Amino acid sequence: MIVLGVESSCDETGLALHDSERGLLAHALHSQVAMHEEYGGVVPELASRDHIRRAIPLLNQVLTQAGISRGDIDAIAYTQGPGLAGALLVGASIACGLGLALDRPVLGVHHLEGHLLSPLLSRTPPEFPFVALLISGGHTQLMRVDGVGSYALLGETLDDAAGEAFDKSAKLLGLGYPGGPAISRLAEFGDPGAFKLPRPMLHSKDLNFSFSGLKTAVLTLVKNQTTNICEQDKANIARAFVDAIVDVLVAKCLTALKETGLKRLVIAGGVGANRQLREALNEAARKRRFDVYYPELEFCTDNGAMIAFAGAMRLQRDPQAATKDYGFNVRPRWPLEELRAV
Ligand code: ATP
Ligand code: MG
Ligand code: FE
């Protein structure tokens, strides 16, 4: 069965084709980062309009890459939420319009389920059950995952998401938007002991996170540099920031593994691309004898492949999950725990 995936929840238009027998056939992505950069963040109306422009050319691109035609698509999965309402509506209407035209069923997918299952697309996929750390631009959650749709929340951020902390701290250092990858690169040149930043909720005894104080601490450090802040100061602050956030993320993962008794840890979402975090987790996994799994780097941030794949996983387990009722509604807010296990 060939599933077309359509992702448009924020500022990436992603299209992909997944075949239940052959795996991922093709995927294509257009990132709007350059367009939103001058505003320092995503402008929703511009995002929606750009998804409209990009979707069909990207669809044609993946069909050509896969060497198939529209008629070969068996079902269409689209991101139904959470995300920006206007952006979601574009993807949903394109998916449902195509479904209607091709007489194929459609299926709304939860964006975070897409992120969560994306490590299963890699060469060495984890088996269920596992502990998942979802660290994206809008979410930071630890979950116990027992199967597709079976997600129990263990802990989450009380304020900023991890990706948001990366982006906001990067912005304070003048590193542009989104600054996660840039602050990570700069940290490589930083002196590890030069500055010390707090590790919020490290000893809170629960599995929740809080990152807004960390960002404020970065701001204070930046302001305290009385003379013009030099490149080395910036690198040192970047290093202090990355060390602090990595420490907290790793510690909470270890606690979650201990509390659940599970031996598999899965990382998902954009911050999962972070090098320092991967190094620290790999080191912890060697010492504590658990297995850690990541998505391929290109599938950490938003993409169509994870949506096609999550749709395919659901359809494999429940062929009734897709419908030919093409009246759609999107869910800009949609708690992951509301999903049904299949
Ligand atoms: P959500 O999925 O919660 O709706 P989102 O889709 O915007 O949010 P993702 O696309 O999963 O989030 O991830 C984007 C985030 O990942 C950004 O905050 C970005 O800075 C961060 N990020 C990407 N690469 C890295 C990296 N190498 N190091 C740190 N952060 C990174
Ligand atoms: Mg994005
Ligand atoms: Fe995302």
Side-chain angles (χ1 to χ4, degrees):
M1 187 177 62
I2 295 180
V3 178
L4 169 71
V6 182
E7 157 62 31
S8 72
S9 68
C10 188
D11 60 347
E12 264 95 23
T13 321
L15 277 283
L17 291 163
H18 184 274
D19 183 344
S20 35
E21 267 112 61
R22 293 186 288 161
L24 194 65
L25 299 181
H27 64 98
L29 188 76
H30 175 77
S31 170
Q32 305 175 353
V33 160
M35 185 178 79
H36 297 293
E37 200 172 11
E38 62 175 301
Y39 306 99
V42 178
V43 184
E45 180 61 22
L46 295 182
S48 311
R49 287 167 188 262
D50 202 56
H51 287 305
I52 297 174
R53 276 192 291 273
R54 306 291 174 178
I56 299 300
L58 289 173
L59 168 65
N60 293 334
Q61 197 178 318
V62 290
L63 288 169
T64 307
Q65 260 178 46
I68 64 170
S69 62
R70 290 183 184 191
D72 296 321
I73 297 169
D74 295 303
I76 302 163
Y78 63 94
T79 303
Q80 193 175 11
L84 302 170
L88 290 167
L89 280 168
V90 175
S93 55
I94 284 167
C96 292
L98 267 173
L100 178 65
L102 299 171
D103 189 29
R104 296 292 188 273
V106 295
L107 163 73
V109 167
H110 196 293
H111 179 78
L112 298 182
E113 178 166 79
H115 276 303
L116 208 57
L117 299 179
S118 63
L120 276 71
L121 265 172
S122 62
R123 275 181 291 272
T124 50
E127 278 172 31
F128 297 116
F130 51 74
V131 167
L133 174 68
L134 175 71
I135 31 178
S136 58
H139 296 82
T140 296
Q141 304 184 332
L142 267 165
M143 264 161 304
R144 182 192 162 102
V145 178
D146 284 287
V148 178
S150 188
Y151 313 128
L153 186 69
L154 302 173
E156 64 187 329
T157 182
L158 304 178
D159 41 57
D160 291 354
E164 204 177 344
F166 268 92
D167 294 341
K168 287 179 174 170
S169 300
K171 199 171 183 173
L172 292 171
L173 293 172
L175 297 176
Y177 174 85
I183 196 171
S184 167
R185 278 194 299 274
L186 187 60
E188 298 284 328
F189 301 99
D191 169 2
F195 296 111
K196 180 104 178 137
L197 284 169
R199 273 110 175 106
M201 299 188 68
L202 186 64
H203 303 294
S204 66
K205 297 211 163 58
D206 58 21
L207 293 169
N208 291 329
F209 304 86
S210 165
F211 295 119
S212 75
L214 186 53
K215 162 200 69 195
T216 311
V218 170
L219 176 65
T220 308
L221 268 189
V222 172
K223 279 192 174 159
N224 283 353
Q225 308 309 304
T226 41
T227 50
N228 256 356
I229 187 165
C230 69
E231 282 309 306
Q232 191 58 50
D233 285 338
K234 282 190 189 177
N236 291 345
I237 295 173
R239 177 66 190 250
F241 168 79
V242 171
D243 284 351
I245 198 162
V246 166
D247 266 5
V248 175
L249 292 171
V250 173
K252 297 279 173 172
C253 286
L254 295 181
T255 310
L257 288 167
K258 199 168 157 196
E259 282 186 7
T260 56
L262 296 175
K263 290 279 175 201
R264 281 185 290 266
L265 176 68
V266 166
I267 308 298
V271 181
N274 183 263
R275 228 178 71 129
Q276 291 93 344
L277 177 66
R278 287 189 177 208
E279 277 170 13
L281 285 171
N282 292 343
E283 171 78 18
R286 265 194 304 274
K287 272 196 197 144
R288 310 276 185 116
R289 297 174 186 280
F290 62 88
D291 293 316
V292 57
Y293 302 84
Y294 310 94
E296 300 291 336
L297 279 178
E298 60 183 335
F299 299 141
C300 284
T301 44
D302 291 351
N303 63 87
M306 68 184 193
I307 301 304
F309 181 65
M313 295 273 283
R314 282 198 165 259
L315 282 171
Q316 218 168 37
R317 288 162 174 75
D318 175 17
Q320 305 304 316
T323 170
K324 285 191 178 177
D325 173 2
Y326 301 109
F328 56 87
N329 65 320
V330 296
R331 312 248 343 233
R333 289 172 193 280
W334 186 7
L336 191 59
E337 307 92 86
E338 279 183 20
L339 293 188
R340 226 167 19 92
V342 286

